[in-house]
Amino acid sequence: MKLTDLTEICEWTHGCAFKPGQAIFLEGDHAHTVYQVVRGVAKLVCVGSSGREIIVGLAGPGDFLDLVSILDGRPY
C-alpha cells in the first residue's frame, strides 16, 4: 500500500466512542461501516434460544469488527 492510499483511507475515517454495554451493530443489520477497536474491548455476542447472551468472541485494540460482511455484502 502506498502512502497516498493511506492518506485517502484516513480521509474517510472518523472516530466515535461507545459506552460499556452499548450495541455497535446488531446481528442481521445491513453492513455499511467498518469498525476498528482503538481502546478497550468489544464483546461479540449472540442471543441464544433461551434469550440469554452468549459471548462468541472478544475484539481488542487493532481488531476489526466483521470486516468480511462489509466486503461481501452480507449482513452482520
Side-chain angles (χ1 to χ4, degrees), residues 3-59:
L3 181 58
T4 54
D5 296 334
L6 289 174
T7 302
E8 186 175 336
I9 290 170
C10 289
E11 290 174 1
W12 295 348
T13 65
H14 67 278
C16 57
F18 295 90
K19 296 178 183 174
Q22 181 181 0
I24 298 172
F25 56 82
L26 300 174
E27 184 177 5
D29 284 352
H30 177 70
H32 57 82
T33 302
V34 174
Y35 295 95
Q36 183 181 30
V37 178
V38 176
R39 279 190 310 263
V41 175
K43 180 173 60 172
L44 309 173
V45 300
C46 68
V47 179
S49 58
S50 66
R52 296 182 69 174
E53 286 187 350
I54 301 168
I55 299 173
V56 295
L58 298 172

Side-chain angles (χ1 to χ4, degrees), residues 63-74:
D63 291 336
F64 289 94
L65 303 180
D66 213 3
L67 183 58
V68 173
S69 293
I70 199 79
L71 294 174
D72 71 8
R74 289 185 300 161

